[in-house]
Every structure is written in structure tokens, then in C-alpha cells.
Amino acid sequence: MNQSTQQTLQNLGWNETFAHHFAPYAEQGFSVGRITLEHKRMYRLLSEHGELLGEVTGKLRYEATGREDYPAVGDWVVISPRAAEKKATIHALLPRKSKFSRKAAGETVEEQIVAANVDTVFLVNALNNDFNIRRMERYLILAWESGASPVIVLSKADLCDDLATRLREVESVAIGVPVHVVSAERDEGLEQLAPYLGAGQTVALMGSSGVGKSTLINKLSGMDMQRVSEVREGDDRGRHTTTHRELFLLPSGALMIDTPGMRELQLWEADEGFRGAFDDIESIAQSCRFNDCQHMREPGCAVREAIADGTLEQARFDSYLKLQRELAHLARKEDAKLQAAEKDKWKKINMQMRQRKPKR
């Protein structure tokens, strides 16, 4: 890989870790690209050959066991470019250093990767009538689990009459997470985001519809890169302006992934993420008399004592229990899915063995 190619890839977020994983493919003459847009299993990607339209190989499709095995926006992929045609064949995905995932919509137990290889996740919440602290807890769980660093961005500050109260609410659930207040309408607070937007850094915007993600990316880019819509009257809920995930290059050299609004954010596997989002409760629980305390009626329960003396809000503890139950339910469904997949695998193996067995 020559110096010019190296610099081009570094501008897209390339680093030594990705280079190490790519080395065996480089020896075989393959190139590499980064996914900027996904649309019906066709992918737009950026590479040393410029922008290409990519499609995965039949082998990759055959070996894929679920959505998570297909490229997502932000992924680095191994390609065979056809520069003259502005096309490429995608052979493999390089290991992800981070991924923001949620459970796919519907009853199917399947992971949906919203963004991959992200350094920082901007969790955007509007300071209007749609402000929801419980929804923020969900985003924090998945952000901590993703492997990226979460940052809370409180948008539409010009619509908030009691900023101090809102900040206290946010800080009570976003333990140790940077919180920035901005107003794109008034161009206020945007300079606070500059430290996260260095050259080659990848930032993903997450939040429900109408919180101002598209407006924010337009302001940070200095141009109208994304279409914006007015929120609904009455409840300040937004319309779905952004309909797909897409990676953009900003003038600062940073890369930003815009995502559609996610009002129904169903949790995916979130062990470390859950502990990170509820570190305050987990820390209090360590002082309970019994290690297996359920925080219900056990004597010497530090959590119940914290609720009684006002150190811990009952609503936050209720949310903790609710999300814990949701993850436990998901784990049971995932386990049943894995058992069914294993049974189906051995059924196919046995069938193949019977077909190969010589007839007497």
C-alpha cells in the first residue's frame, strides 16, 4: 500500500488495527473500502479508487448467518474494485472495533447494526416537549455496549424554559458522560463539539425523530447535506426526515454517520452496557447485606434505603428493573433461537451423511 493510498484511507478513519487485519488480503491483491450507504443489499463505499457501488459475493451471502454478517454503514470491507465501471465486489468484512446495535423490529430475534467502527456516539435529545429521560437510559445502555464513547447532546436549547432542571435530570442518569447543550437555531454551543470532530474520527448521531440530528449535521458541515422537517404541533415529535443511515465527510476531516429516528429502541445484548448505564445503582447494590439481594424485601438492602432517603429516585430504579426484565426475556428468546439453529445444523449434517452412505 503506497503512501498516497495510506493517506486517503487514513482520511476515512483507517488505522493500524484495520491494516493488521487487512494484511492477508493485501497479499492476495485485494483492496479495501469503507461503507457509506446501504440500500437493499447494494452498498456505496469510498476507497482509494474513489466512490464505488459494491455488491457482496455469493460466498459471503451463503456463509452469512444473519444481518450482522452483512456490511453496515461504517464497516471496512475487502473488495475487488472495477474502477472503470465505478463498481466493486465485496468479499469480506474486517473485524469491527465498535458497533451500535439494537434488536431488529418485529418478533424476530435478530441484531440490527446501526453503525460500525464509531469512535464517539452523539446521543441527541431535544429540550422540548419530547424530552424523555427513560428513552435516554436506553440509548446509554446501547452506547456503552457499542464500544464507542457516548456523549449527550441536548439540542433545541432555545425551546427550554428551565435548563437547570433538565440538566440535573440528565446528569442523574448519564453518570460520567459528557453533556453539551446546543441550539442550532441560534448557533449556540456548537463549538463544544469540535474536540470530537478531529480528522479521521468517526461520530454517529443517534436520537429519535425531530431532535435535530439533520439540522446539526448541516450546521457542522456548513452546507445543507440533509433535508430537515418541522416537528408535529402539540407534542414536538418529529417526522422521519432521514430514511437511511449514511456516512458523511465533514470539513474538519471527521466522518459523521446520520441515522433515522429510532423511537422504539429495542435493546440487544447489553451486559457491560447495562452496568455502565446504571453504574449508580450497581454501586449502591454492593453495600447490600446479601450478595444475591433482589432489592425487594430483604433486610439490609442498600438500594431500598437509598430510595427511602432520596439518594435514588424510585422512577430510575423502576426503569432499572424493567430494562433488566427486557434483557432477560431477550436472552431467553436468543437461547431458544440458538438451540433451534444448532438442531437444524445437525439435521442437515445427518441428511448429508445418509445421502453419501453407499447403498447395499
Side-chain angles (χ1 to χ4, degrees):
M1 189 178 290
N2 60 45
Q3 188 173 355
S4 175
T5 298
Q6 187 76 20
Q7 185 60 49
T8 298
L9 296 179
Q10 285 177 351
N11 293 340
L12 298 175
W14 187 252
N15 59 36
E16 292 182 0
T17 302
F18 294 127
H20 172 74
H21 291 303
F22 179 63
Y25 296 103
E27 293 174 358
Q28 300 175 53
F30 289 108
S31 294
V32 69
R34 193 167 191 194
I35 302 295
T36 63
L37 179 69
E38 174 190 357
H39 184 65
K40 295 182 179 178
R41 299 292 163 88
M42 294 294 293
Y43 304 90
R44 192 170 70 202
L45 57 93
L46 291 175
S47 71
E48 61 177 300
H49 306 282
E51 186 175 282
L52 305 173
L53 185 65
E55 187 173 14
V56 302
T57 62
K59 183 174 184 290
L60 196 157
R61 289 180 186 275
Y62 177 77
E63 294 178 348
T65 59
R67 289 189 186 184
E68 67 274 14
D69 295 323
Y70 284 93
V73 173
D75 266 326
W76 285 98
V77 290
V78 178
I79 62 172
S80 294
R82 303 192 299 279
E85 302 174 44
K86 293 294 182 182
K87 292 182 179 180
T89 301
I90 299 172
H91 297 271
L93 280 67
L94 294 184
R96 298 167 173 128
K97 74 172 184 178
S98 65
K99 60 174 182 176
F100 189 100
S101 299
R102 65 169 178 172
K103 177 184 170 297
E107 293 300 316
T108 303
V109 183
E110 195 168 29
E111 177 184 14
Q112 181 184 47
I113 298 175
V114 180
N117 298 317
V118 173
D119 297 298
T120 305
V121 180
F122 281 177
L123 303 177
V124 188
N125 297 264
L127 290 165
N128 55 15
N129 293 335
D130 194 36
F131 181 84
N132 188 316
I133 205 74
R134 302 281 81 91
R135 189 190 307 141
M136 197 178 299
E137 288 172 337
R138 285 178 173 268
Y139 274 103
L140 279 167
I141 289 173
L142 297 185
W144 280 122
E145 190 69 20
S146 73
S149 300
V151 171
I152 299 245
V153 178
L154 299 177
S155 62
K156 304 190 179 184
D158 51 292
L159 301 179
C160 184
D161 296 326
D162 191 354
L163 182 57
T165 298
R166 289 302 193 206
L167 276 173
R168 282 196 297 271
E169 289 181 69
V170 172
E171 289 168 354
S172 71
V173 303
I175 314 298
V177 178
V179 179
H180 301 291
V181 179
V182 304
S183 171
E185 182 71 22
R186 297 176 179 173
D187 286 327
E188 294 175 352
L190 298 177
E191 70 284 351
Q192 302 173 48
L193 307 181
Y196 309 104
L197 302 175
Q201 291 293 297
T202 302
V203 176
L205 290 174
M206 306 287 175
S208 57
S209 300
V211 297
K213 300 190 302 298
S214 296
T215 300
L216 188 60
I217 199 170
N218 287 345
K219 287 289 184 179
L220 294 174
S221 66
M223 61 186 76
D224 291 335
M225 300 180 75
Q226 291 288 71
R227 186 171 62 86
V228 298
S229 297
E230 296 297 323
V231 297
R232 270 186 346 214
E233 293 184 8
D235 60 6
D236 283 343
R237 292 188 176 183
R239 301 181 180 92
H240 289 278
T241 303
T242 301
T243 57
H244 53 264
R245 293 173 286 279
E246 187 169 3
L247 184 148
F248 297 93
L249 295 172
L250 298 184
S252 67
L255 301 104
M256 184 163 280
I257 298 176
D258 194 11
T259 64
M262 296 180 289
R263 185 161 303 280
E264 295 300 326
L265 187 66
Q266 298 190 62
L267 298 180
W268 186 244
E269 297 173 353
D271 185 24
E272 292 297 325
F274 187 83
R275 285 197 291 270
F278 288 98
D279 184 61
D280 54 336
I281 298 179
E282 297 280 317
S283 297
I284 294 170
Q286 291 179 10
S287 299
C288 290
R289 182 182 301 176
F290 303 108
N291 292 333
D292 59 349
C293 183
Q294 299 299 304
H295 319 307
M296 301 305 288
R297 297 181 179 83
E298 297 91 340
C301 175
V303 172
R304 302 308 306 180
E305 291 173 6
I307 293 173
D309 65 22
T311 306
L312 176 65
E313 290 186 1
Q314 180 68 51
R316 177 151 170 82
F317 181 61
D318 290 343
S319 178
Y320 170 85
L321 294 177
K322 177 184 177 183
L323 295 172
Q324 209 172 44
R325 289 192 297 269
E326 186 174 325
L327 284 169
H329 177 66
L330 176 63
R332 289 193 296 271
K333 292 178 71 174
E334 175 68 7
D335 187 59
K337 177 188 174 185
L338 291 174
Q339 289 180 16
E342 186 71 10
K343 183 178 179 181
D344 185 57
K345 182 185 78 172
W346 284 106
K347 184 178 178 181
K348 289 180 180 178
I349 291 173
N350 290 331
M351 186 178 296
Q352 290 172 352
M353 291 176 65
R354 286 197 298 270
Q355 289 173 348
R356 292 173 184 172
K357 188 175 181 180
K359 294 181 180 180
R360 293 181 179 178

